[in-house]
Amino acid sequence: MSPESEYVELAVEVFAMLADATRVKIILALRSAEELSVNRLAEVVDKSAAGVSQHLAKLRLARMVSTRREGTTVYYRLTDEHASELVIDAVKQAEHVVGAAPHHRAEQDSA
């Protein structure tokens, strides 16, 4: 974990993938459920199924979500906890920025 890491550029690509409100909502929705269909995700994030499907395709290419088919229905789930943790940390940072959540600096300084 250094500034010279060969993974810095890939990390930037991960952030770029998550730099979309619909994708963040999809990650949060999948975090709350084991798996969801495109139609159910569309309801949860209040977007069209076609639009959600396009976002899911990008998340799938980035290996952030994976699928399971049951008949004609495709179910999506998070591949692992990493994307979810990034989104949660970003939401916590946003809460700190607007003053909606306490800062944890004192805890970190005493550790």
Side-chain angles (χ1 to χ4, degrees):
M1 293 293 175
S2 72
E4 298 84 23
S5 172
E6 63 186 287
Y7 299 107
V8 168
E9 294 301 321
L10 290 172
V12 171
E13 289 179 25
V14 169
F15 283 120
M17 180 60 58
L18 295 174
D20 180 278
T22 299
R23 288 187 212 130
V24 168
K25 290 176 182 181
I26 289 169
I27 297 291
L28 290 171
L30 289 173
R31 177 183 173 270
S32 303
E34 190 169 312
E35 60 182 15
L36 294 170
S37 68
V38 173
N39 289 334
R40 182 64 187 125
L41 276 166
E43 290 174 15
V44 172
V45 303
D46 196 29
K47 299 288 180 181
S48 72
V52 168
S53 184
Q54 290 177 358
H55 286 291
L56 285 165
K58 290 179 182 181
L59 290 168
R60 188 173 178 199
L61 282 173
R63 297 183 182 162
M64 292 183 184
V65 299
S66 52
T67 62
R68 176 182 69 84
R69 181 177 293 277
E70 188 175 295
T72 59
T73 305
V74 178
Y75 292 92
Y76 288 83
R77 67 185 169 280
L78 294 174
T79 302
D80 55 43
E81 74 283 355
H82 300 299
S84 174
E85 289 173 357
L86 282 170
V87 168
I88 291 165
D89 283 344
V91 170
K92 287 180 182 177
Q93 177 63 28
E95 290 173 343
H96 287 295
V97 168
V98 298
H103 289 272
H104 302 286
R105 186 97 173 136
E107 294 172 13
Q108 292 174 350
D109 290 343
S110 64

